Amino acid sequence: MSKKVTCPKLFNYFCSVECRGKFPEQLIDMLTQDPKKVRHFDKGEHIAFQGDTINNMMILTKGSVRMEIISDVGYNLFISERKAPFPLGASLLFSSQNKFTHDIIALEECQVEYYDIKGVEEAMTICPHFRRGFLHYSSDQVLDLSQRLQIFSIKKIKSKLAFYILRQADKEGSFDLGVSVTALAEYFGVTRSALSRVITELSDEGAITYEKGEGKILNRKLLTEMI
């Protein structure tokens, strides 16, 4: 009888399918091991700084964080906010320059689990579910970066928001902003009041319905014409 295995947070995040009890024998010892290290961070504390080397697979397992880039002249560029569970810097883990491109700051009390890179490499070799999940995550990060560059190239707030909503919406037109209006305003580089006003305008024009971070596209053509 095979040994019952409970995935650590690392595997719970990346394995997109239920594979408990179906692990190759080589993974059993790896999966039952504890993280290499667990650290706790207070609100406002830096979890990582821009330029820090990524020596481990890091999984945010409790709390939420803010990611931002600080320019040479001290200008803070907001990237995103993320809630647990979420990998931190995983897409750069195997880069030729495996360094954080941004600061990571705790928005509340946070917990981070650290896993050995060698174990991650072995898991990707042995377990197809883990490998697929890791590649899916990495591809999403590239897609997210592409979307950010497109948004930065758009000048009007309404056009930025229309583009963002179209990318967030599912096939039925339902969408979730994914972050607070304040965080999204920072992401766009505008004030919260200006963004709130544009959201109301899109709703009044019949392009969307919106309430508390969620909404539905009513006129996709109208949104597309705004970009």
Side-chain angles (χ1 to χ4, degrees):
M1 181 179 294
S2 63
K3 183 178 179 180
K4 185 177 180 181
V5 177
T6 301
C7 289
K9 296 291 193 308
L10 172 64
F11 285 81
N12 278 340
Y13 185 87
F14 286 109
C15 287
S16 56
V17 298
E18 178 58 60
C19 50
R20 185 173 298 159
K22 301 177 184 177
F23 296 106
E25 198 63 33
Q26 304 98 305
L27 277 178
I28 297 299
D29 291 338
M30 186 191 307
L31 291 175
T32 53
Q33 289 179 359
D34 292 329
K36 179 180 178 181
K37 179 173 61 176
V38 178
R39 288 190 60 188
H40 295 85
F41 298 87
D42 295 327
K43 180 180 179 180
E45 188 175 358
H46 270 75
I47 295 173
F49 286 92
Q50 183 176 328
D52 284 353
T53 300
I54 305 173
N55 294 314
N56 301 276
M57 168 71 81
M58 299 165 58
I59 301 289
L60 176 69
T61 56
K62 177 184 177 182
S64 58
V65 298
R66 173 189 175 91
M67 302 180 187
E68 63 183 26
I69 295 175
I70 301 179
S71 69
D72 293 337
V73 294
Y75 177 73
N76 288 32
L77 175 61
F78 172 76
I79 298 178
S80 65
E81 292 179 359
R82 298 291 187 178
K83 296 180 179 179
F86 188 77
L88 302 176
S91 60
L92 299 170
L93 193 63
F94 301 107
S95 168
S96 58
Q97 297 184 19
N98 56 326
K99 298 179 183 295
F100 282 103
T101 57
H102 50 269
D103 285 11
I104 303 177
I105 306 164
L107 290 175
E108 56 189 315
E109 183 180 340
C110 291
Q111 175 178 292
V112 178
E113 293 184 358
Y114 297 74
Y115 294 88
D116 187 71
I117 294 178
K118 184 178 179 181
V120 175
E121 291 177 325
E122 292 176 352
M124 291 179 69
T125 301
I126 297 169
C127 182
H129 306 305
F130 179 86
R131 181 169 62 250
R132 189 179 301 115
F134 188 89
L135 292 173
H136 180 77
Y137 159 81
S138 298
S139 298
D140 279 351
Q141 296 307 297
V142 173
L143 185 63
D144 185 54
L145 177 59
S146 175
Q147 176 176 301
R148 290 167 199 238
L149 292 173
Q150 287 179 281
I151 287 176
F152 290 149
S153 69
I154 299 172
K155 294 183 178 180
K156 294 182 178 180
I157 302 177
K158 185 176 287 188
S159 299
K160 288 178 183 284
L161 182 59
F163 178 86
Y164 184 84
I165 289 174
L166 287 169
R167 292 301 182 274
Q168 290 291 107
D170 59 21
K171 293 180 180 179
E172 286 71 41
S174 297
F175 66 88
D176 184 335
L177 292 184
V179 295
S180 66
V181 173
T182 300
L184 189 60
E186 286 191 79
Y187 179 58
F188 288 168
V190 301
T191 64
R192 187 187 188 285
S193 59
L195 181 58
S196 295
R197 183 172 63 253
V198 170
I199 291 174
T200 300
E201 288 177 4
L202 289 183
S203 181
D204 291 343
E205 292 169 6
I208 63 170
T209 60
Y210 176 81
E211 184 176 1
K212 297 180 179 179
E214 298 180 352
K216 187 176 180 64
I217 295 175
L218 300 179
N219 192 329
R220 189 177 294 270
K221 184 174 181 292
L222 182 57
L223 284 180
T224 301
E225 291 174 345
M226 292 177 183
I227 300 175

